[in-house]
Amino acid sequence: MVMWIAVTVVKLLIYFAILMLFVAYGTLAERKVAGHIQDRLGPYHCGPHGVLQPLADGLKLFFKEDIVASEADKFLYFLAPALAVVPPLLVLGIIPIGESITIAGKTIPLPIANINVAVLYFLGVTSLSVYAIMLGGWSGNSKYPLLGGLRSAAQFISYELVLGLSIIGVVMLVGSFNLVDIVKYQKDMWLFIKQPVAFVAYMVAAIAELNRAPFDLPEAESELVGGYHTEYSSMKFALFFLGEYANMVVSSAIATALFLGGWYAPCSFLSFIPGPVWFLLKTFALFFFMLWIRWTYPRLRYDQLMGMCWKYLIPITLFNILGTGLVVILKAGGV
Amino acid sequence: MKAVDGLKRAFQDAVQGVSEFRGETTVVIVPEVLREVCLYLRDKEGYDFLVDLCGVDNGTDRTPRYSVVYLLRNMETKDQLRLKVFTDGTVDTVSDIWPTANWHEREAYDMFGIDFKGHPELERLYLPEDFEGHPLRKDYPLRGLNPDRDMYEGGVKTKVAPSKPNTMILNMGPQHPSTHGVLRMLLELEGETIVNAWPIVGYLHRGTEKLAEYKTYHQVLPLTDRLDYLAPPSNNLAYILAVEKLLGIEPPPRGKFIRIIMVELARIASHLIWLGTHAMDIGAATVFLYAFREREKIYDLWEMVAGARFHQSYFRIGGVREDLPEDFIPALKKFLDEFPKALDECDNLLTNNKIWRVRTEGVAVLSKEDAIRYGATGPVLRGSGVNWDLRKAYPYAGYDEFTFHVPVGERGDTFDRYLVRMEEMRQSREILMQAVARLPDGPINTEPGKYNFPPPEEVKGDKANIEALIHQFKLVIEGVRPPKGEVYQAVEAPKGELGFYIISDGEPRPYRLRIRSPSLINLQALPIMIKGLKVADVVTAIGSIDIVLGEVDK
């Protein structure tokens, strides 16, 4: 028992470190990718090619003046940024970065918690993110954040559905909510080949859930100045930022587990590279995809975003479930 | 002129005088019949477009002291008519006849204290509510009545009454990322839907018109750079052409061509900024940097010619300051060769992009009729389907020697205005190609010494001669003396019709210099464009009008 706790604590620390590193260098990647897409270099002067930029950013945010809006509801105002970081950290526990590892003759499973309802847990926890943004938008007692909070409430509730419905297809095929089982099912063929519609719907919904362009309406800077975090400064702002990037990372990680074969190598001759490395590479590829989208597309309008969700994505995912169900039944009947 | 004869027949004694100067007709009428005359001209004579309306202070010792000047245009026959009424302070409003007169009358009230009877909301346009005095009056000192006062508590407009319950008043600007400077908007919102909108201007007002009255004709030139600071050569050209019209001179062919090269580069540069910022407002941040990269090349070209990148002040009365440097034409050719590719790159990112289309198509529609009623000009007017370009309508500065095509939209929405400006950039490139191919040799100035400074080597050094020295001395100490008269000269600036109305009393300083700035007048149509749309469409609409606050606030 003591051994188990010790191992779990060590795993927690390592995964947390990986996540924070990923987030820190995710911000740098964002700026570098944006720079190169836009014909410029991005951060360049802090360390060679700007590699120390995340540290400098962190320091800067720590030392910035912490301004509290005078008319704010203080309790919720302080609670919101803290809440923003919690959901991605909770999801971290179920990410199947690899199957197991053998150290000193002992087999240690790599996921922190290999639970049977992992998918449900993921959906449940991510839907908590909306509270951070809503409370952040509302508690500042300011008009632009309010509009941002308003938008995000509608956006989250709608795209939550798409996210859930898109995963159902996967669950039906695999017959399990367990992420490790889902990854193992993909040993021979990744699920995005069997479930392309679900994969696309998941990615769209994930980007919308993350408030990333082209769905970054809650913080649309050209309309709402800063959106829900207009009234936040210093580390409170940084926490929102941290939450957003951590969310990006865990969303990419979950997508990797669900659709991109988790820790399996794309071809068998590449399997000498350890599984966790593959997992991180795939996660980063999806992360990069999100950056790429952001710097290519304009932003949708609020009503158009809702229209897209209810008129197109939800019917499409429902049909996907219907189709998957038919296939599953036909296969079962055929046997 | 047909309209003048008609006026004389219909109003007989009410027509006090008709004068003609440099091909422009001015009709003076008594103020009592102003509204009838305006309605007659609009409905019977087809003067559907009010180009400009401004006040003039005729001097503290004169009665009646003020005059109000209306410049009307018949867009079919292209006739222009200047209407003038003399008044001691009260005139009937024409803002219901031409809605564009609304802000013009507010400006005249602001600057001269002229009261427009029947105006729906006669408030100051530019200056704070608690400002003392009316600055364009001749007895108002240049430094103001309270030179030490630097704070105005009242602001311009602090509160508006909501039109119905349960709406929210949202203040957008003057500090806001998408108002393109210091424009302020008050929006009345119901959820995210716009019920009402009030644009508020004046945060960058510098009193260019007042300053100009204290400077010689040469000295006014740098002030014009600062109007539309994204396309200074266009402003320079409009002003210089007005002065040249007053003087009755024309530059030699090479001077004209050089000016057109500069002005068309300015159009491309200005449209590039518009493209970048408009795309950024809608969330496409990458186009912004692509557009800025291209604009940078134009600034390098300008630097070669004028030495300055931003405010060139390169044109002179009768020509330009100096000839093009030798390596300019090859550099320009290189830019013109590379430019279409760069523009296509932006085109590819936007024109067929589904998101761009749904964000711009059918958004902020301005109908043909409204565009004319609100005095919109430039791409805004053409986007609404009116084929009107001053370069074609009244070819100035030698534009009749160039072949180009004027793009016109159909529906008057944001997407049409976008397409019009994109095509205008390509057409400007065509004009530039022709100018480069046919650039004539010869002098660049008309009679240097008489209107313009003599070449520096004739004033100083071995080749100096006494005549040039005298000219230099006279021009610096005294300036150019144009004849008495008044002229209006407009150019098709990137934003629309930029006009300068100069009244000369024979002195080397303009008696009154009036700037018809297109951004200000186009902006007036914004509230009717965005009513009923969403908050996100406000920034789309502002971007598609393409305002620059240096020009809005003058």
Side-chain angles (χ1 to χ4, degrees), chain B residues 218-294:
Chain B
H218 279 297
Q219 288 170 332
V220 175
L221 185 69
L223 295 181
T224 64
D225 279 308
R226 277 118 185 118
L227 293 171
D228 175 1
Y229 44 74
L230 302 177
S234 290
N235 313 334
N236 292 168
L237 183 71
Y239 169 70
I240 289 290
L241 284 178
V243 176
E244 285 174 359
K245 195 171 182 183
L246 201 57
L247 290 162
I249 57 170
E250 241 186 50
R254 188 175 171 86
K256 281 186 178 175
F257 267 67
I258 294 175
R259 282 180 179 181
I260 284 180
I261 289 175
M262 293 294 276
V263 171
E264 290 304 320
L265 280 175
R267 190 180 317 279
I268 294 178
S270 170
H271 281 1
L272 279 172
I273 297 244
W274 154 81
L275 175 67
T277 51
H278 188 38
M280 183 125 107
D281 287 347
I282 302 184
T286 297
V287 178
F288 176 76
L289 282 129
Y290 286 179
F292 263 64
R293 182 190 63 201
E294 293 311 305

Side-chain angles (χ1 to χ4, degrees), chain A residues 37-40 143-144 146-147 151 214 221-225 294-304, chain B residues 169-172 176-178 192 281-286 289-290 293 353 355 358-359 363 536-537 539:
Chain A
I37 286 178
Q38 297 171 346
D39 243 359
R40 54 191 178 86
K143 285 171 184 174
Y144 285 109
L146 181 67
L147 283 173
R151 286 178 174 188
E221 75 278 352
S222 61
E223 301 148 28
L224 301 183
V225 190
R294 172 169 178 189
W295 298 109
T296 309
Y297 282 104
R299 180 183 304 119
L300 274 166
R301 202 172 60 208
Y302 169 61
D303 53 326
Q304 291 162 346
Chain B
I169 301 288
L170 183 71
N171 182 40
M172 207 178 204
H176 187 279
S178 317
E192 281 221 21
D281 287 347
I282 302 184
T286 297
L289 282 129
Y290 286 179
R293 182 190 63 201
N353 183 326
I355 299 180
V358 296
R359 283 301 305 275
V363 171
D537 295 323
V539 294

